[in-house]
Amino acid sequence: MNKRMFILVFAVLMVAGTGCHRRPLEDMMERISIRVDVNIKAVANITTHVYNEHIPMPDLNTDMMRVMVYDPKTKNLLTQSFISNKTVSANGDQVLSGELNISYGNYDILVYNFDTPTTMVTGESNENTILCYTDPLPVSVRDYYLSNLKATKAEDPYDGMSINYEPDHVLVAREENLHVSPHDTVVVITTTAETIVDTYYVQIHVENMQYATRAHALISGLAPSNLMGLNRRTLSPTTAVCFDLNMSTDSTIVGSNKDVLCATFNTFGKIEDVSSDLYVQFNVIDSGGNLQSKTFNLDTIFKTEDAIERHWLLINETWKLDPPVTPPEPPEGSGGGFQPTVDDWEEEHGEIAI
């Protein structure tokens, strides 16, 4: 090699040596976040098919969601996260987002809202057993709703039936066998949550509404819970729910009297093919302190288009309330104890020393 060639090679090596340097290999960025769009646009009696806009409606807002990550093969729980970063999408949907503590692989994802006061969750360790449900009413509350049985000393027709709290709306999103590839950027999992709870509207036309002071209803033959991971309502044992009724009006009723007792109520759903215990019982406390009750079978009503398509349980009958029964006045001089009387005024004259 001549001198000129040697200098050229040496110069190339010098430039190459100063132009790069050894760097350790960097680990891939394994951050994974999740974005949950809450779709509540088609919830009957809340955001669509609202029969009566003048009565209270259930709340569908949420501020926290729980993200459950399961093994797709064993269905066992791998990890969980809570997300509460809340925004609103361009189309007005609630959006909750946050990060997941997982790497690449295959996963089943189950998300549900965590701020439900009356709806409980159990069986979280396995995707096939995670269950949402409500507790039975305490004895004192049950007695309040069934006070007519106390008043008449009748046998409890709901003896042995679980009368439970109404469920809150449970907003659930599911992604099965979701594949996350190795990555060096942030991966965003996007999913949509919808409610697994039904809201029904129930109404009955009432005559002599002026006699009513408060009212409530009990509906039986309903599903007790929901297996969220399987998206399946449980069937046994059937339950009933109790709720207060509103005194309102319905302008579509023919005639001058448009008074109705009505309400919306939440349920995990009607059990298909259940008929033997599918009833609604209306109870009214009248101005005399008496309880008046009326019971209707709901088999036919649940098969109507209104019930199937819009979740309206419209009872096409009129319930005529009886005038309050007041106890008769006791005869004068009867009874025991102190009975004060008032005589005519007697004038007295005198001087008061000051």
Side-chain angles (χ1 to χ4, degrees), residues 13 28 31 59 61 88 155 203 221 226 236 238 248 265 285 301 304 335 341:
L13 292 174
M28 292 179 296
R31 286 180 56 199
D59 187 13
N61 290 311
V88 179
E155 183 179 354
Q203 173 181 292
N226 187 296
S236 181
T238 63
S248 187
F265 68 94
I285 305 297
I301 295 174
T304 63
T341 58

PDB file of all heavy atoms in Angstrom, residues 13 28 31 59 61 88 155 203 221 226 236 238 248 265 285 301 304 335 341:
ATOM      1  N   LEU A  13     -11.160   5.836   8.546  1.00  0.00           N
ATOM      2  CA  LEU A  13     -11.339   5.214   9.856  1.00  0.00           C
ATOM      3  C   LEU A  13     -11.529   6.251  10.961  1.00  0.00           C
ATOM      4  O   LEU A  13     -12.317   6.058  11.894  1.00  0.00           O
ATOM      5  CB  LEU A  13     -10.143   4.323  10.183  1.00  0.00           C
ATOM      6  CG  LEU A  13     -10.000   3.069   9.305  1.00  0.00           C
ATOM      7  CD1 LEU A  13      -8.694   2.338   9.637  1.00  0.00           C
ATOM      8  CD2 LEU A  13     -11.189   2.128   9.504  1.00  0.00           C
ATOM      9  N   MET A  28     -38.046  -2.124  24.832  1.00  0.00           N
ATOM     10  CA  MET A  28     -39.195  -1.545  24.150  1.00  0.00           C
ATOM     11  C   MET A  28     -40.124  -0.866  25.156  1.00  0.00           C
ATOM     12  O   MET A  28     -40.266  -1.335  26.291  1.00  0.00           O
ATOM     13  CB  MET A  28     -39.962  -2.636  23.405  1.00  0.00           C
ATOM     14  CG  MET A  28     -39.213  -3.223  22.238  1.00  0.00           C
ATOM     15  SD  MET A  28     -40.168  -4.522  21.448  1.00  0.00           S
ATOM     16  CE  MET A  28     -40.239  -5.718  22.763  1.00  0.00           C
ATOM     17  N   ARG A  31     -45.765   0.562  27.525  1.00  0.00           N
ATOM     18  CA  ARG A  31     -46.924   1.236  28.094  1.00  0.00           C
ATOM     19  C   ARG A  31     -48.175   0.915  27.278  1.00  0.00           C
ATOM     20  O   ARG A  31     -48.177   0.974  26.053  1.00  0.00           O
ATOM     21  CB  ARG A  31     -46.711   2.741  28.129  1.00  0.00           C
ATOM     22  CG  ARG A  31     -45.734   3.212  29.201  1.00  0.00           C
ATOM     23  CD  ARG A  31     -45.603   4.710  29.153  1.00  0.00           C
ATOM     24  NE  ARG A  31     -46.914   5.358  29.299  1.00  0.00           N
ATOM     25  CZ  ARG A  31     -47.136   6.619  28.920  1.00  0.00           C
ATOM     26  NH1 ARG A  31     -46.173   7.326  28.346  1.00  0.00           N
ATOM     27  NH2 ARG A  31     -48.337   7.148  29.093  1.00  0.00           N
ATOM     28  N   ASP A  59     -79.710   7.698  37.097  1.00  0.00           N
ATOM     29  CA  ASP A  59     -78.495   8.383  36.665  1.00  0.00           C
ATOM     30  C   ASP A  59     -77.605   7.415  35.896  1.00  0.00           C
ATOM     31  O   ASP A  59     -77.419   6.270  36.298  1.00  0.00           O
ATOM     32  CB  ASP A  59     -77.752   8.929  37.891  1.00  0.00           C
ATOM     33  CG  ASP A  59     -76.576   9.796  37.499  1.00  0.00           C
ATOM     34  OD1 ASP A  59     -76.473  10.173  36.317  1.00  0.00           O
ATOM     35  OD2 ASP A  59     -75.748  10.091  38.373  1.00  0.00           O
ATOM     36  N   ASN A  61     -74.373   8.533  34.810  1.00  0.00           N
ATOM     37  CA  ASN A  61     -73.016   9.066  34.831  1.00  0.00           C
ATOM     38  C   ASN A  61     -72.113   8.188  35.682  1.00  0.00           C
ATOM     39  O   ASN A  61     -72.554   7.569  36.651  1.00  0.00           O
ATOM     40  CB  ASN A  61     -73.014  10.495  35.390  1.00  0.00           C
ATOM     41  CG  ASN A  61     -73.663  11.478  34.443  1.00  0.00           C
ATOM     42  OD1 ASN A  61     -73.343  11.492  33.255  1.00  0.00           O
ATOM     43  ND2 ASN A  61     -74.584  12.272  34.946  1.00  0.00           N
ATOM     44  N   VAL A  88     -64.950  14.129  27.607  1.00  0.00           N
ATOM     45  CA  VAL A  88     -66.153  14.007  26.788  1.00  0.00           C
ATOM     46  C   VAL A  88     -65.721  13.975  25.331  1.00  0.00           C
ATOM     47  O   VAL A  88     -64.927  14.807  24.882  1.00  0.00           O
ATOM     48  CB  VAL A  88     -67.133  15.171  27.037  1.00  0.00           C
ATOM     49  CG1 VAL A  88     -68.355  15.043  26.151  1.00  0.00           C
ATOM     50  CG2 VAL A  88     -67.556  15.207  28.506  1.00  0.00           C
ATOM     51  N   GLU A 155    -101.430 -13.532  55.472  1.00  0.00           N
ATOM     52  CA  GLU A 155    -100.205 -14.288  55.244  1.00  0.00           C
ATOM     53  C   GLU A 155     -99.413 -13.610  54.134  1.00  0.00           C
ATOM     54  O   GLU A 155     -99.970 -13.148  53.148  1.00  0.00           O
ATOM     55  CB  GLU A 155    -100.542 -15.719  54.838  1.00  0.00           C
ATOM     56  CG  GLU A 155     -99.309 -16.594  54.652  1.00  0.00           C
ATOM     57  CD  GLU A 155     -99.677 -18.009  54.267  1.00  0.00           C
ATOM     58  OE1 GLU A 155    -100.880 -18.321  54.264  1.00  0.00           O
ATOM     59  OE2 GLU A 155     -98.768 -18.769  53.945  1.00  0.00           O
ATOM     60  N   GLN A 203     -97.170   2.214  34.618  1.00  0.00           N
ATOM     61  CA  GLN A 203     -98.191   3.239  34.831  1.00  0.00           C
ATOM     62  C   GLN A 203     -99.572   2.600  34.941  1.00  0.00           C
ATOM     63  O   GLN A 203     -99.876   1.627  34.255  1.00  0.00           O
ATOM     64  CB  GLN A 203     -98.194   4.237  33.672  1.00  0.00           C
ATOM     65  CG  GLN A 203     -99.331   5.253  33.696  1.00  0.00           C
ATOM     66  CD  GLN A 203     -99.298   6.187  32.514  1.00  0.00           C
ATOM     67  OE1 GLN A 203     -98.399   6.999  32.390  1.00  0.00           O
ATOM     68  NE2 GLN A 203    -100.283   6.076  31.624  1.00  0.00           N
ATOM     69  N   GLY A 221     -90.947 -11.726  39.580  1.00  0.00           N
ATOM     70  CA  GLY A 221     -90.619 -12.473  38.371  1.00  0.00           C
ATOM     71  C   GLY A 221     -89.431 -11.929  37.603  1.00  0.00           C
ATOM     72  O   GLY A 221     -89.380 -12.044  36.379  1.00  0.00           O
ATOM     73  N   ASN A 226     -76.440 -10.807  37.122  1.00  0.00           N
ATOM     74  CA  ASN A 226     -75.892 -10.945  35.779  1.00  0.00           C
ATOM     75  C   ASN A 226     -74.443 -11.415  35.863  1.00  0.00           C
ATOM     76  O   ASN A 226     -73.641 -10.830  36.605  1.00  0.00           O
ATOM     77  CB  ASN A 226     -75.965  -9.600  35.039  1.00  0.00           C
ATOM     78  CG  ASN A 226     -75.574  -9.711  33.571  1.00  0.00           C
ATOM     79  OD1 ASN A 226     -74.431 -10.030  33.244  1.00  0.00           O
ATOM     80  ND2 ASN A 226     -76.501  -9.426  32.690  1.00  0.00           N
ATOM     81  N   SER A 236     -82.325 -17.973  38.499  1.00  0.00           N
ATOM     82  CA  SER A 236     -82.867 -18.499  39.753  1.00  0.00           C
ATOM     83  C   SER A 236     -82.009 -18.024  40.921  1.00  0.00           C
ATOM     84  O   SER A 236     -80.774 -17.969  40.819  1.00  0.00           O
ATOM     85  CB  SER A 236     -82.889 -20.029  39.699  1.00  0.00           C
ATOM     86  OG  SER A 236     -83.421 -20.560  40.888  1.00  0.00           O
ATOM     87  N   THR A 238     -85.917 -16.321  41.220  1.00  0.00           N
ATOM     88  CA  THR A 238     -86.516 -15.080  40.753  1.00  0.00           C
ATOM     89  C   THR A 238     -86.644 -14.111  41.923  1.00  0.00           C
ATOM     90  O   THR A 238     -86.786 -14.514  43.077  1.00  0.00           O
ATOM     91  CB  THR A 238     -87.902 -15.323  40.142  1.00  0.00           C
ATOM     92  OG1 THR A 238     -88.787 -15.830  41.146  1.00  0.00           O
ATOM     93  CG2 THR A 238     -87.814 -16.284  38.968  1.00  0.00           C
ATOM     94  N   SER A 248     -98.732  11.574  38.864  1.00  0.00           N
ATOM     95  CA  SER A 248     -98.510  12.387  37.685  1.00  0.00           C
ATOM     96  C   SER A 248     -99.759  12.364  36.811  1.00  0.00           C
ATOM     97  O   SER A 248    -100.827  11.916  37.245  1.00  0.00           O
ATOM     98  CB  SER A 248     -97.283  11.874  36.923  1.00  0.00           C
ATOM     99  OG  SER A 248     -96.932  12.730  35.863  1.00  0.00           O
ATOM    100  N   PHE A 265     -88.260   1.976  36.956  1.00  0.00           N
ATOM    101  CA  PHE A 265     -87.526   1.109  37.883  1.00  0.00           C
ATOM    102  C   PHE A 265     -86.478   0.327  37.101  1.00  0.00           C
ATOM    103  O   PHE A 265     -86.632   0.036  35.911  1.00  0.00           O
ATOM    104  CB  PHE A 265     -88.472   0.158  38.636  1.00  0.00           C
ATOM    105  CG  PHE A 265     -89.124  -0.887  37.764  1.00  0.00           C
ATOM    106  CD1 PHE A 265     -88.577  -2.156  37.629  1.00  0.00           C
ATOM    107  CD2 PHE A 265     -90.304  -0.608  37.084  1.00  0.00           C
ATOM    108  CE1 PHE A 265     -89.179  -3.120  36.829  1.00  0.00           C
ATOM    109  CE2 PHE A 265     -90.916  -1.562  36.281  1.00  0.00           C
ATOM    110  CZ  PHE A 265     -90.352  -2.816  36.158  1.00  0.00           C
ATOM    111  N   ILE A 285    -101.260   4.606  50.331  1.00  0.00           N
ATOM    112  CA  ILE A 285    -101.689   5.039  51.667  1.00  0.00           C
ATOM    113  C   ILE A 285    -102.587   6.248  51.468  1.00  0.00           C
ATOM    114  O   ILE A 285    -102.165   7.270  50.921  1.00  0.00           O
ATOM    115  CB  ILE A 285    -100.484   5.414  52.559  1.00  0.00           C
ATOM    116  CG1 ILE A 285     -99.490   4.254  52.627  1.00  0.00           C
ATOM    117  CG2 ILE A 285    -100.973   5.811  53.953  1.00  0.00           C
ATOM    118  CD1 ILE A 285    -100.051   3.013  53.271  1.00  0.00           C
ATOM    119  N   ILE A 301     -99.004  -8.042  29.376  1.00  0.00           N
ATOM    120  CA  ILE A 301     -98.420  -6.718  29.170  1.00  0.00           C
ATOM    121  C   ILE A 301     -96.965  -6.824  28.710  1.00  0.00           C
ATOM    122  O   ILE A 301     -96.516  -6.079  27.832  1.00  0.00           O
ATOM    123  CB  ILE A 301     -98.543  -5.885  30.459  1.00  0.00           C
ATOM    124  CG1 ILE A 301    -100.016  -5.617  30.762  1.00  0.00           C
ATOM    125  CG2 ILE A 301     -97.769  -4.578  30.351  1.00  0.00           C
ATOM    126  CD1 ILE A 301    -100.267  -4.928  32.071  1.00  0.00           C
ATOM    127  N   THR A 304     -96.519  -7.139  24.916  1.00  0.00           N
ATOM    128  CA  THR A 304     -96.947  -6.080  24.006  1.00  0.00           C
ATOM    129  C   THR A 304     -95.738  -5.427  23.342  1.00  0.00           C
ATOM    130  O   THR A 304     -94.601  -5.505  23.827  1.00  0.00           O
ATOM    131  CB  THR A 304     -97.749  -5.012  24.760  1.00  0.00           C
ATOM    132  OG1 THR A 304     -96.897  -4.398  25.750  1.00  0.00           O
ATOM    133  CG2 THR A 304     -98.970  -5.618  25.439  1.00  0.00           C
ATOM    134  N   GLY A 335    -115.308   5.335  77.359  1.00  0.00           N
ATOM    135  CA  GLY A 335    -113.856   5.277  77.447  1.00  0.00           C
ATOM    136  C   GLY A 335    -113.379   5.678  78.804  1.00  0.00           C
ATOM    137  O   GLY A 335    -114.113   6.180  79.649  1.00  0.00           O
ATOM    138  N   THR A 341    -112.840  18.964  79.645  1.00  0.00           N
ATOM    139  CA  THR A 341    -113.975  19.684  79.047  1.00  0.00           C
ATOM    140  C   THR A 341    -113.783  21.166  79.268  1.00  0.00           C
ATOM    141  O   THR A 341    -113.030  21.584  80.162  1.00  0.00           O
ATOM    142  CB  THR A 341    -115.311  19.248  79.680  1.00  0.00           C
ATOM    143  OG1 THR A 341    -115.249  19.488  81.098  1.00  0.00           O
ATOM    144  CG2 THR A 341    -115.572  17.771  79.427  1.00  0.00           C
TER     145      THR A 341
END
